[in-house]
Amino acid sequence: MKGVFITFEGIDGCGKSTQTSMCRTWLEELGRTVLLVREPGGTKIGERIRELLLDKKNSSMAPLTELFLFEAARAQIVEEVIKPALSEGKIVICDRFFDSSYAYQGCARGLGPEMVSRLNMDATGGLAPDITFFLDISVEGAIKRRNVRGEEKDRIESAGDAFQEKVRLGFIRAASEDGRIVTVDASLSPDEIFAQIREKIEALI
Ligand code: TYD
């Protein structure tokens, strides 16, 4: 069976975790082997890079340093986890992938989408997802959802609402440029969102 690579994207608090786990449960019920991973992280080295990236004490981190750390964690998870799983015919679901760098570092931090797109390709050796779901929600909607969860904000989540707005515009721009990205209205109920996602994946597997 052919491996399939599915990624989920969106601003912080868009509801990705709910959808990735609904997706995993459904695909496993269909008898597929599923690997669910997250970025940054998913490997021993990647989890250490994640700590550096999200630690609020690292408030002086330069945007370029941030970008290279995300790309470094990505190179590692692609080599160590994603490529081998795909070649074994597994379905790999990734909670965030290189479109996050495009939106967060390329657009919101202002490093420029062109440079980030180039680095994305270098870090993954050209591996792109088969399909990407962009869960689109307003910044206010995401804040409400995050408040319900009551989690403490990490360094990047603490960058403020205007930053999140730029991230959202970055994802909208990425989706307008690449047909691989499917935009889903994330203000709907989890079941309604999942129904749309399931339909697209059914057409793919
Ligand atoms: P995480 O706790 O995984 O956030 P979420 O649960 O919202 O996915 O933290 C990852 C943070 O890193 C999140 O704020 C998005 C950000 N990020 C980037 O800025 N660039 C990237 O390339 C990736 C993968 C994540």
Side-chain angles (χ1 to χ4, degrees):
M1 222 178 266
K2 184 173 122 335
V4 186
F5 185 24
I6 304 168
T7 60
F8 285 78
E9 300 280 4
I11 61 172
D12 297 295
C14 68
K16 279 183 292 93
S17 326
T18 309
Q19 291 303 320
T20 50
S21 74
M22 285 171 90
C23 201
R24 177 188 21 204
T25 307
W26 165 63
L27 287 165
E28 284 178 347
E29 280 166 9
L30 291 181
R32 296 296 300 253
T33 309
V34 180
L35 184 72
L36 174 55
V37 288
R38 69 167 177 187
E39 263 219 48
T43 64
K44 233 175 173 174
I45 294 169
E47 289 295 332
R48 293 191 61 186
I49 297 174
R50 179 185 175 89
E51 282 169 28
L52 274 174
L53 279 164
L54 301 186
D55 189 345
K56 274 195 196 159
K57 290 201 284 290
N58 292 333
S59 57
S60 62
M61 189 180 292
L64 257 186
T65 310
E66 185 178 284
L67 173 64
F68 287 136
L69 286 173
F70 278 115
E71 298 294 359
R74 180 163 302 130
Q76 190 64 31
I77 197 175
V78 165
E79 275 308 306
E80 193 180 321
V81 178
I82 299 178
K83 278 188 183 165
L86 290 173
S87 64
E88 287 165 16
K90 292 180 183 159
I91 296 184
V92 178
I93 302 175
C94 200
D95 187 334
R96 297 196 182 282
F97 196 57
F98 59 25
D99 298 307
S100 278
S101 293
Y102 180 100
Y104 281 80
Q105 283 68 50
C107 300
R109 290 277 193 234
L111 290 173
E114 294 78 16
M115 181 192 55
V116 173
S117 296
R118 270 199 316 275
L119 276 177
N120 281 344
M121 281 300 129
D122 289 340
T124 63
L127 177 76
D130 293 298
I131 193 163
T132 296
F133 296 101
F134 162 40
L135 305 189
D136 188 27
I137 193 166
S138 66
V139 173
E140 305 81 66
I143 290 169
K144 271 191 210 139
R145 202 189 292 256
R146 268 212 312 259
N147 287 345
V148 173
R149 286 203 312 229
E151 288 164 10
E152 212 196 311
K153 287 184 182 172
D154 59 46
R155 188 180 62 86
I156 294 175
E157 282 165 349
S158 308
D161 297 352
F163 181 79
Q164 292 291 328
E165 194 57 64
K166 287 187 200 159
V167 174
R168 182 182 180 206
L169 292 176
F171 282 124
I172 291 172
R173 175 168 171 180
S176 75
E177 288 171 351
D178 195 336
R180 159 182 64 80
I181 304 176
V182 177
T183 303
V184 182
D185 178 356
S187 67
L188 299 172
S189 73
D191 286 337
E192 286 170 315
I193 297 170
F194 183 61
Q196 293 183 32
I197 290 171
R198 193 176 52 202
E199 200 186 311
K200 294 284 180 192
I201 297 178
E202 271 166 348
L204 199 74
I205 59 175

